[in-house]
Amino acid sequence: MNKGGLYFHIPFCLRKCNYCDFCSYTGVAEEQMRDYVRALICEMKHVAPRATALSFDTVFFGGGTPSLLPPELVGELLTAARDCFQIERDAEITLEANPASIDGGGLAALRALGVNRLSVGIQSTSDGELSALGRLHTGREALAFLRLAREAGFDNLNADLMYGIPYQSTESAKRTLDGVLSLAPEHISAYSLMLEEGTPLFAKKDVLPIPSEEEEDAIDTLVRTTLSEAGYLHYEISNYAKEGYPSRHNLHYWHSDPYLGFGVSAYSFFEGVRYGNTRELSRYLSSPTDAICDEEVLNESDLAYEWIMLRLRLREGIDLDAYRARFGIDLSLRYQKEIDRFCSMGLMRVSEGRLALTESGFRLSSGILVDFLDA
Ligand code: SF4
C-alpha cells in the first residue's frame, strides 16, 4: 500500500508578520475557527472514498498559526482524520506553533491528543531582528517557549530559523544558534528570508540594513558549520536533523509521494495530479467540497523532472537504479557531460549508485539545478 501524508492548513494568525505572504487571516473569532474545522471535516469526508488505497504515516498542521486553534478542535480534526483515512499507529503528527500563541496547558493538551512533533517559529533570538520581521515575541520568549514545549512532553522539536534578516550579523546569528542549541531541538530548519512583493518588508527593502550577499553567505557558512559540529545532519538544503529525526512529512514531498492537503491554499498530489485549493476563506467556508481552483495533470516527463529537482535537494540524492526502473532513463548517460562537469567542480558526487549534490553543491543548488535540467 502506498504511503503518504495528510496536511491541514490552519490560516489564522494573531498579527501578520512583515515578510509574510502565506495564506493567513487575523482577527478571526473562535466561532469562525469552529466553522473552519467543520469545513475541513466536510472536505475530508468528500475526498476519503478516493484515498482508500493509501495509508498515511504523517499528519501536519501548518499555517498560519495552528497553535491558535483550541486543542479540542485539533482533537476533532484528528478523530475525523482517523475515521476517514488509514492513519498508521506510529504516525508523525506535527503542529506548527508560535511563541505567544499557546500556554503550557495547551501544549500538554496537544501532546495528550497525540501530537508528537512541534515545529516552533523562532526565526531569531535578537529582538531588533524580530521587531523588523514583525514577530510578536522576543528572543527570550522564543527560547522559553521551546523549554515549555519540552516540559509539556514534546521529545521531537523543530526550530525554524531565518537568515538574511534586516540588522542580522554573523555575531547575532551566532547568538541565535547558541541559544537554540542550548535547548537541543531534534530538528532545525534554516531558511533565507524571501522578500515577497506586496509585503511591508518588501516596501522597506531599500532603507533597511539587509545583509549583503557576502554577509548572508558568511551567516550560511556559520549555520552549516555550527550545526554540523553540534551533531546535526544536513539532510536537505535548508534542513538539519539529529539522527533519526528528519521530518518524515517533508520527506514525502521530496520523495514525490502522495499527499492530501485540506483547507484554504492547501495543495494535494495524488495519482499524478496536483490540486490546489482556493485562498479565499469565505469561498472555502461556503463550499469546502468545491474548493479546488487549480488542477495540473503531470505527464511522465513532468514527473521525471520533478523527481530530479526534489531529490537533488536531499543529501541522499537520486537512486540511479530506481530512477531507471521508474522512468526508463539512465541518468548517468542522459546527463553524463553535466554530471562529469559538476563532479569535477566538487559540486556533485556519484557513489554507491546514487547521484547527489555535495555540501558545496547545496550552496549553489539553484544554479546547478537550472543548468543541469536545461542540458
Ligand atoms: S506567524 Fe507565520 S503565517 Fe502567521 S503572519 Fe507570521 S509568518 Fe505569516
Side-chain angles (χ1 to χ4, degrees):
M1 184 172 272
N2 259 346
K3 283 192 189 184
L6 290 181
Y7 175 82
F8 295 100
H9 190 76
I10 310 297
F12 311 124
C13 287
L14 286 171
R15 189 179 73 190
K16 201 81 181 160
C17 298
N18 292 338
Y19 57 97
C20 180
D21 78 335
F22 298 132
C23 180
S24 72
Y25 295 81
T26 56
V28 175
E30 194 173 313
E31 197 39 48
Q32 280 173 286
M33 293 190 191
R34 287 183 189 283
D35 291 344
Y36 186 72
V37 165
R38 275 193 283 273
L40 286 172
I41 293 173
C42 195
E43 189 188 5
M44 262 194 278
K45 287 183 174 162
H46 177 68
V47 170
R50 291 182 55 207
T52 51
L54 290 176
S55 83
F56 296 91
D57 63 356
T58 66
V59 179
F60 196 102
F61 294 90
T65 306
S67 49
L68 280 180
L69 212 55
E72 91 231 29
L73 294 183
V74 174
E76 281 179 32
L77 283 172
L78 283 173
T79 302
R82 289 191 178 103
D83 288 346
C84 288
F85 304 106
Q86 299 186 55
I87 298 183
E88 299 194 354
R89 198 183 279 271
D90 68 342
E92 173 191 273
I93 303 180
T94 305
L95 185 134
E96 288 183 339
N98 278 324
S101 65
I102 185 169
D103 60 15
L107 288 174
L110 289 174
R111 186 70 195 87
L113 285 165
V115 177
N116 51 29
R117 184 171 183 269
L118 207 67
S119 177
V120 182
I122 303 275
Q123 317 312 351
S124 163
T125 58
S126 153
D127 292 347
E129 293 166 26
L130 289 168
S131 157
L133 292 174
R135 301 287 295 181
L136 273 170
H137 53 87
T138 63
R140 190 182 287 260
E141 285 164 349
L143 295 180
F145 187 77
L146 273 181
R147 228 171 273 123
L148 200 63
R150 280 280 187 241
E151 285 161 17
F154 284 96
D155 54 11
N156 190 355
L157 291 174
N158 168 56
D160 270 345
L161 303 181
M162 219 175 234
Y163 55 93
I165 307 171
Y167 304 105
Q168 194 177 40
S169 62
T170 44
E171 291 73 28
S172 70
K174 169 120 183 50
R175 280 194 296 278
T176 293
L177 285 167
D178 288 347
V180 168
L181 287 175
S182 71
L183 297 161
E186 284 66 30
H187 188 285
I188 293 176
S189 298
Y191 287 94
S192 172
L193 171 66
M194 303 299 290
L195 293 168
E196 304 288 355
E197 235 174 307
T199 60
L201 206 58
F202 186 87
K204 288 205 245 165
K205 71 180 169 38
D206 295 330
V207 292
L208 282 172
I210 292 172
S212 65
E213 224 171 275
E214 293 73 34
E215 287 164 332
E216 206 179 309
D217 265 358
I219 296 170
D220 184 37
T221 302
L222 175 78
V223 170
R224 287 162 196 263
T225 50
T226 307
L227 294 183
S228 155
E229 282 163 20
Y232 290 82
L233 179 68
H234 190 184
Y235 74 99
E236 194 267 350
I237 290 173
S238 308
N239 287 281
Y240 303 78
K242 292 263 177 78
E243 193 179 344
Y245 288 97
S247 161
R248 282 160 61 190
H249 185 78
N250 287 341
L251 280 172
H252 279 315
Y253 298 139
W254 297 315
H255 285 163
S256 308
D257 292 336
Y259 50 86
L260 300 180
F262 301 97
V264 281
S265 78
Y267 269 79
S268 302
F269 175 62
F270 180 52
E271 293 175 341
V273 185
R274 183 168 299 122
Y275 304 94
N277 278 356
T278 175
R279 290 173 70 95
E280 281 174 45
L281 187 56
S282 55
R283 174 177 162 190
Y284 182 77
L285 287 172
S286 63
S287 50
T289 58
D290 184 26
I292 294 172
C293 66
D294 183 18
E295 192 170 326
E296 184 189 5
V297 179
L298 302 182
N299 61 29
E300 277 298 285
S301 108
D302 298 330
L303 293 168
Y305 176 90
E306 288 210 348
W307 185 290
I308 297 174
M309 289 294 279
L310 293 170
R311 291 197 186 223
L312 279 183
R313 296 187 62 90
L314 293 167
R315 174 171 292 270
E316 69 187 35
I318 302 169
D319 179 329
L320 295 170
D321 284 344
Y323 192 87
R324 192 183 309 109
R326 171 66 185 81
F327 297 107
I329 298 170
D330 187 330
L331 269 188
S332 44
L333 289 180
R334 165 70 182 81
Y335 294 102
Q336 188 176 8
K337 224 172 75 202
E338 290 70 32
I339 292 173
D340 286 348
R341 181 159 65 95
F342 288 126
C343 284
S344 71
M345 293 164 79
L347 302 174
M348 263 185 178
R349 67 188 138 80
V350 181
S351 76
E352 295 174 8
R354 305 189 84 94
L355 172 70
L357 295 183
T358 60
E359 192 65 30
S360 312
F362 269 179
R363 296 177 78 105
L364 302 170
S365 57
S366 36
I368 295 174
L369 292 175
V370 171
D371 270 18
F372 192 69
L373 291 163
D374 278 353

